[in-house]
Amino acid sequence: MGARYWTSVLHLVDAAAHRFYFSIDEPTALVQREGGPCAVIAAVQAFILKQLLLESDVITWKAIKAEKCDQLLVKAMTEIITQAADIQDPKYSVVHAGDSNGFVSGKDDTDSKSTESTVNPAQDISEGNQFNETQAAKQASLESEVFHSQLRIFTTSSIDDVEDFFTERIGMLKDQYGILLLLYTVMCTKGVSEICFEMSDPTEPMIDSTYGYGSQSLINLMLTGRAVSHVWDHDQDISGLKLRGIDKQNTVGFLTLLEHLRYCEVGTFLKSPSHPIWVLGSDTHLTVLFSTEKRLVSPETPSEQARRIFKRFDPEGNNFIAANLLQDVLAELGLVADAEYVDIMRKKLDGENLGIILLASFMDEFFPEEPCMCPDMFVLYHYNGLQRSNPENRVKYHKGQAVLLECTVKCIMDSNPMLTVLQTKWPRIEIQWDIVRNPSLN
C-alpha cells in the first residue's frame, strides 16, 4: 500500500499520539487518550477481558503483574488478527517499524513460511483507498513520514509466529504508533479488496475525517473479522440490494444506543455472544460491559429464536406483523405451515380482523411459559478507557448490581444513556452502580 494511504489513515485516526498502555489504578484496563482510536482500544480490551474471565476471578485482577498484562495484550491482538485472516488459507501480515531480522520462527519450514517485505512508499494504493490522499498528505508531519518510511511487513502462515513476534516486541506495541500498527496489521491481513467487498459502500470512509471515529465496518472488522456495515443477523436483501450482516454468533457482543434511536438493529449474534462481554456504542465513543455470570450468554432457546424470526418480519419494530405473513413465520420456525392450519390460527390470533398479529399473542400461543434461562439478579462491570470519563480521572472497572423487574414495559430515560443501551438487551433491567453517578458511555 502507498505511503499516502498510510499517512491519511494516521491523520484520520490521530494515532500518532496513541499507544497501548494500562491504567495504574486497574492493571488490566487500557487507557485511551483523547481522540478516535476507541474502535481499536475497545476491541482489544474486550478480548483481554475474555482471557481474564477464562483464567481468573475478578477479585484477583488488581494483583496481576505487568508481565502478565503484556501477555494478555498479545493474546488479545493475536485473536483479533486471527479472525481477520482467511479461514481456508490463513496468511498473516504483521506491519511493524524497524528491523525484524532478529526474529526467528519457532516453526519448521514445513509448517510455516515467513517472509519480510518493505512497505513501498512509491506503490500506488488500490481502488479500495477511501481517504482524501491529497489533503492528508499536506497535513502529514515529517515525523509520520519518517515512521512510514520505516514500515516493514512480516508475513507468515503461522499464528504462533505472530504471537511470538509480538511477544518479543511488546515495547513496539506500547510505544508511539502501537495502536496504528495493530490497525495496519488487521487491514493487511484481511486485505483491502476483501474489506471493500464486505462493506456495503466501499466509498464510505472507515474513519471519520473530522473526529477520527471508527465506522461500523471498522468496529465489526475488529470484533468479528468481517468489515460488514450492519449489525443484524445474516445478510438481508432489500429491493435486490444485498446488505451484509453478522453471519454467526460472535465471541464478544455489541450493543448500541443507536438501536434505541432506531438507526440500526442489533441481531442476536451480537446481543448474545459466546462470552458475557459487550462493546457498548454511543454516538461518539465505545466502552465495554462484561460479567462473570455465564448464564447471560446461554444458548438461544426456542422462544428466543421465535422472537428473533418474528422480528425479522417486523422491520419497523412495532411488535406485530401483517396477518398474511403468519405462514412465512411458521415455516421459518419449522412449525406446521399448511394453508388450512394457518388460516385457523390467523383467525384465532387476529380475532378482531385487524389484519395484524401481535408478538405477545403469537408467543402465548406457540411458546407459552418457557422458563427464562437468564437470572433475575446478576453483576455487571463497565470499562471506559477515557480518563476524563472516570471519577477522579482514574480508569477503573465499575461494578453494578443488576435486577430484572417483573414489568415488561421499557422505561427509557434520555437522561440515563447507560440504562437505555442496556435495555436494548434486557428490557426489564434496573441497575445500581458502585459509584455516585452512572458510568459514562462517552
Side-chain angles (χ1 to χ4, degrees):
M1 292 186 179
R4 290 180 298 171
Y5 174 77
W6 298 122
T7 303
S8 63
V9 175
L10 175 62
H11 167 62
L12 295 174
V13 181
D14 190 27
H18 293 292
R19 58 189 176 89
F20 289 108
Y21 67 101
F22 291 97
S23 169
I24 60 174
D25 301 294
E26 193 76 63
T28 60
L30 293 170
V31 177
Q32 177 185 337
R33 294 183 60 183
E34 299 296 328
C38 58
V40 178
I41 291 180
V44 173
Q45 183 66 55
F47 282 94
I48 287 176
L49 289 166
K50 177 203 164 189
Q51 291 294 325
L52 283 168
L53 291 172
L54 290 173
E55 296 177 2
S56 58
D57 193 288
V58 175
I59 61 175
T60 68
W61 292 1
K62 292 279 190 182
I64 292 180
K65 303 300 182 183
E67 182 179 359
K68 176 60 176 178
C69 292
D70 290 345
Q71 294 173 4
L72 291 167
L73 178 62
V74 170
K75 284 282 188 182
M77 292 190 296
T78 302
E79 188 164 359
I80 290 172
I81 295 167
T82 300
Q83 292 185 145
D86 188 300
I87 298 177
Q88 303 298 328
D89 184 23
K91 290 184 175 60
Y92 310 97
S93 299
V94 182
V95 180
H96 63 99
D99 180 27
S100 67
N101 293 332
F103 178 76
V104 179
S105 171
K107 295 284 186 179
D108 186 88
D109 287 341
T110 58
D111 298 327
S112 170
K113 293 183 179 180
S114 60
T115 61
E116 185 80 19
S117 61
T118 302
V119 178
N120 184 0
Q123 182 179 343
D124 289 335
I125 181 61
S126 70
E127 294 180 357
N129 187 356
Q130 303 164 39
F131 304 97
N132 187 327
E133 297 179 350
T134 303
Q135 182 180 8
K138 290 180 180 179
Q139 298 179 2
S141 66
L142 176 61
E143 183 179 1
S144 70
E145 292 177 4
V146 172
F147 165 74
H148 284 87
S149 70
Q150 296 174 345
L151 288 182
R152 303 290 185 272
I153 298 180
F154 169 70
T155 304
T156 179
S157 58
S158 168
I159 193 61
D160 291 336
D161 282 353
V162 176
E163 184 173 343
D164 292 343
F165 190 93
F166 281 150
T167 300
E168 292 185 15
R169 289 161 178 77
I170 189 65
M172 173 187 70
L173 300 170
K174 299 176 73 174
D175 201 354
Q176 190 179 29
Y177 300 104
I179 291 175
L180 188 60
L181 290 175
L182 175 60
L183 177 59
Y184 285 173
T185 296
V186 172
M187 297 182 74
C188 281
T189 297
K190 183 70 177 181
V192 172
S193 60
E194 186 65 20
I195 290 174
C196 292
F197 173 76
E198 291 179 346
M199 295 176 65
S200 294
D201 181 5
T203 64
E204 181 182 352
M206 295 184 74
I207 302 169
D208 182 84
S209 60
T210 302
Y211 301 105
Y213 303 145
S215 69
Q216 191 63 56
S217 293
L218 179 57
I219 295 170
N220 287 344
L221 175 62
M222 298 300 296
L223 292 180
T224 73
R226 299 180 71 231
V228 296
S229 302
H230 305 282
V231 289
W232 53 52
D233 294 336
H234 304 299
D235 299 342
Q236 292 192 14
D237 192 312
I238 308 296
S239 300
L241 180 64
K242 185 176 183 180
L243 301 178
R244 292 179 173 82
I246 307 302
D247 62 343
K248 61 183 178 180
Q249 183 187 39
N250 204 49
T251 302
V252 299
F254 179 75
L255 306 174
T256 175
L257 195 61
L258 298 181
E259 183 172 26
H260 160 62
L261 301 174
R262 295 196 174 183
Y263 288 142
C264 68
E265 176 188 355
V266 182
T268 302
F269 292 150
L270 286 177
K271 279 190 177 177
S272 299
S274 58
H275 296 265
I277 305 165
W278 297 265
V279 170
L280 305 182
S282 70
D283 52 348
T284 61
H285 188 45
L286 296 172
T287 60
V288 183
L289 181 82
F290 64 98
S291 178
T292 58
E293 178 53 76
K294 296 181 180 179
R295 288 180 294 172
L296 295 179
V297 290
S298 57
E300 187 179 44
T301 65
S303 175
E304 290 170 337
Q305 181 192 29
R307 288 179 180 274
R308 173 169 59 84
I309 291 176
F310 189 98
K311 289 182 178 180
R312 187 188 303 172
F313 292 86
D314 174 28
E316 296 184 1
N318 296 317
N319 287 328
F320 65 79
I321 60 171
N324 59 7
L325 294 176
L326 178 61
Q327 186 172 27
D328 295 333
V329 174
L330 293 176
E332 188 80 12
L333 287 168
L335 301 176
V336 177
D338 295 340
E340 183 177 354
Y341 173 76
V342 171
D343 188 56
I344 294 173
M345 296 310 303
R346 185 186 296 116
K347 292 178 180 178
K348 180 178 181 180
L349 296 175
D350 183 21
E352 298 182 12
N353 199 28
L354 298 175
I356 62 173
I357 294 175
L358 299 176
L359 172 61
S361 300
F362 178 85
M363 296 302 297
D364 288 342
E365 177 65 31
F366 294 101
F367 299 90
E369 300 181 0
E370 183 175 75
C372 179
M373 302 299 293
C374 182
D376 292 330
M377 299 179 63
F378 49 90
V379 173
L380 293 173
Y381 297 86
H382 182 253
Y383 154 87
N384 189 329
L386 286 173
Q387 291 176 308
R388 61 171 171 80
S389 298
N390 288 268
E392 300 179 348
N393 294 324
R394 295 182 176 181
V395 175
K396 300 170 64 176
Y397 303 132
H398 296 294
K399 181 179 179 180
Q401 182 64 54
V403 178
L404 298 185
L405 306 177
E406 292 186 2
C407 65
T408 58
V409 179
K410 290 185 181 181
C411 300
I412 299 297
M413 297 176 59
D414 292 334
S415 61
N416 190 346
M418 172 61 75
L419 182 61
T420 300
V421 73
L422 294 183
Q423 287 182 337
T424 65
K425 163 69 175 173
W426 301 283
R428 298 180 289 118
I429 194 172
E430 282 288 346
I431 187 165
Q432 184 68 43
W433 295 96
D434 62 356
I435 51 178
V436 176
R437 66 185 186 188
N438 292 313
S440 174
L441 292 178
N442 293 313

